Amino acid sequence: MNINSKTKTPFPTKQQVRTFIEESDGPVGKREIAKAFNIKGANRIPLKKLLKELVVEGGLEQGRKRELSPTGTLPAVAVIEMIGLNEDGEAIAKPVNLDNDATPPIIYLVQDGNSRSKAPGKGDRLLARLSRSKDGTYDARVIRALQAATGPVLGVYTKVGKGGRVQPTDRKLKKEINIREENSEGAQSGEVVLCEILPGKTLSLPEGRVKERLGPMGDAASLSLIAIHAHGIPSEFNAATIKEATDAKPISLGTRTDLRDIPLITIDPADARDRDDAVWAAEDEDPKNKGGWQIIVAIADVAHYVRSDSALENSAKERGNSVYFPDRVVPMLPHELSSDLCSLHENVDRPVMAVQIWFDAEGNKLRHKFMRALIRSRASLTYAQAQNAWDGHPDEATEILSKDVIRPLYQAHEALKKARQKRQPLDLELPERRIEIGEDGFIKAVHKKHRFQAHMLIEEFMIQANVAAAETLNKLRRPCMFRVHEPPSAEKMQGLHEVLREMNISFAKGQVMKTVTFNRILGQSENENDKELLSSLVLRTQSQAVYSPNNLHHFGLNLQNYAHFTSPIRRYADLLVHRSLIAALKLGEGGLEEADAGDFEDIGVHISGLERRAMVAERQTNDRFTAVFLADKVGETFAAKVSGVTRAGLFLTFDDTGADALIPISTLGNDYFRFDADKHTLVGERTGQTYRLADRLTVRLKEVNIVTASMIAEVADGAVQHRPQNSGNSRRSTTNRRSGAKTISSGPIKKKKKTMPKGKKRALRKVKSD
């Protein structure tokens, strides 16, 4: 409407101004209205009054720029979201961030015929310039596409008003996600949800849309599901994979070696979910090998059932390994195989890849032989059962096996221990814990794992089988997926050198590192604190073990040839080694295809990444179960060890549960603490109060967040049990002003230069897995 003319125009009525505003393409301001009606000078004052009256009367609203538009009208520039195509094939959208409950108007996307950009799809968000039509619809011309945020994000939903918010379970994501009612999928407070971040810039909370509801946070099953979804771990098998597994059948002897008369047994944890290895030992009957031993390690023949280019193969490769949570296992293979046909249950025939190994009286390997065989396990024992039988306390199941089956296993192990001692693998004492799940699905108790000789026996037998596999493939120059553990770098050794110097333990810089050197260092610890400190520091210097077709040796085990052979049910790397052995030794069908051998480099990188993913997911789930277990114990005190020292504060490991917690640096005392990365210490500038790695503390649990599985603690009594310091350092007794507890500090006390930094970001200890 253009009412402007050179002739004198009468002052407009309210209805004329209202009609002009309603018929305009977008919001209009006082200047545009004055120009349209040729209002000048003093007449602008009554126009201002008229516009205010129109807003008060209703039907019009004033925007942030004091522009007027009909109530519910969209701004001239807005973020829109594509809905799809209507019946006429026109692209339609809806506005984002409407501030009222009105039905959103229809927006038609005006396509630019000259544009070469990709047409937007359903759910895409665009910044567009809008023009309003008389029928209440809008035309939108795209200014730019808004980049979608990466996702999805897992979190816990809480209702807020008509919509809600999602607190991410990933503690790295600090902001909650705002969920509008129409994007909530009916989620209820306390539910674990999977949501996507909607594109668009925001100065406050990001906007999201719930894609999947996983169940209430209070449900124990949700605790594992959080890790499964957060890390993208495949938890369901497709129909083709299930069909191949269910179609699989037990096999007959055929051309296999018949070992069913050999009394092999399995020894596993009490809660074992699969049984993929069986063992046997006997004295070597060769008179030339007096005091020598022979053993058989039989491993489930997974390669017989999982063939190249099959659905089972694709699923196993996609997963890389089984993932073990406190309440469930996400298997690499369907349970028809992993828990049945490929599990070496007692008194049933099972196909295996077996290796027979001969040793002299000192445990040195003389020779070995691989075979494809059929076995019938005599018993499925636990570690405790086997150990009790060896200690002279057999039960009903082991009494008949004690003399002729269990005793030879332990006697053979005594010989192998001699060779192991000479080899000097890295000997770290790292406590392990087992989570016991109650009938309700939550933690009933946390137990320290007892390490019997039975554990070490099975471990050494498996190592010998793994060595034999790697040696065979290396000798025949056939593809092998080696388990590689490289020596520590010089950079990582620097921090260890600094601490050793404080402890008066000699350690020459620049020397070639060997496992025997580390073991010598560990042997010089004078007390339990020192031993824990040195074990922690030595572990931190180690590199991450990986899979590779390049034989770079295994530093930690001090072995030149090493591969994983003993767990093809749960590790894809072992399956590859089985296939390569079958092809190299001409042991029948299911061997490695030549085309697959060329992919070993890429596969090694792939499965190493999947292994790290599984380890992180398992650790985070254990943390979350433990957080739920301790949630009602806030305010109680616990014995703990300092497991990490950083600028953020002290990371702790609780003695009884193995739970991890943080003491923020801002709560350590009325002092400014200096962080020494090499010495792993926090030292108060004014008081000299010192906290060190492996210090013992009594702490009070202050806060538990079960969503992020994080815990905050504080020093309860201030009494810190330190490791002894080098007597050559300057020493001084100081008193903690908060608790009165005396501690020993080394080095000069610096004058206070700054006030203590206030709040630090929360963090949880990142444990290096080897």
Side-chain angles (χ1 to χ4, degrees), residues 149-156 165-178 193-197 204-208 226 229-231 620 624 705 707-710 761-764 766:
T150 56
V153 175
L154 198 71
V156 176
R165 290 184 181 177
V166 172
Q167 181 185 1
T169 58
D170 186 347
R171 58 184 71 101
K172 295 178 183 177
L173 302 177
K174 303 300 181 183
K175 283 190 174 182
E176 291 185 327
I177 301 163
N178 192 48
V193 298
L194 195 66
C195 69
E196 62 177 343
I197 305 295
S204 56
L205 298 178
E207 291 259 349
I226 288 174
H229 284 79
H231 294 279
Q620 290 179 349
R624 187 161 280 108
N705 187 325
V707 177
T708 59
S710 57
K761 292 182 179 179
R762 289 185 185 176
L764 283 182
K766 293 182 179 179

Side-chain angles (χ1 to χ4, degrees), residues 579-601:
R579 287 176 178 166
S580 194
L581 286 168
I582 292 168
L585 300 173
K586 297 180 174 54
L587 295 177
E589 297 180 347
L592 185 69
E593 302 288 343
E594 290 295 333
D596 295 336
D599 296 333
F600 266 38
E601 191 81 47

Side-chain angles (χ1 to χ4, degrees), residues 540 644-651 662 665 668 675 680-682 763:
R540 288 162 190 252
V645 182
T646 72
R647 290 181 177 85
L650 302 176
F651 291 104
L662 169 70
I665 194 171
L668 285 177
F675 170 59
H680 300 273
T681 59
L682 284 174

Side-chain angles (χ1 to χ4, degrees), residues 481-502:
M481 189 61 75
F482 293 100
R483 182 63 167 176
V484 173
H485 181 227
E486 297 190 72
S489 64
E491 293 77 15
K492 289 187 176 181
M493 293 302 300
Q494 177 62 32
L496 178 62
H497 180 269
E498 292 292 333
V499 176
L500 294 178
R501 186 173 60 180
E502 278 197 0

Side-chain angles (χ1 to χ4, degrees), residues 8 27 59 130 167 199 258 289 301 545 644:
K8 187 175 180 180
L130 305 179
Q167 181 185 1
D258 193 348
N289 186 26
D301 190 358

Side-chain angles (χ1 to χ4, degrees), residues 56 200 205 228 260 345 374-375 403 427 509 546-547 654 674 684 694 744:
V56 172
L205 298 178
I228 290 170
R260 288 176 291 181
H345 298 304
L374 197 68
I375 72 165
K403 180 180 178 181
D427 187 19
K509 274 189 175 182
V546 297
Y547 293 106
F654 288 9
R674 289 281 184 184
I744 300 296

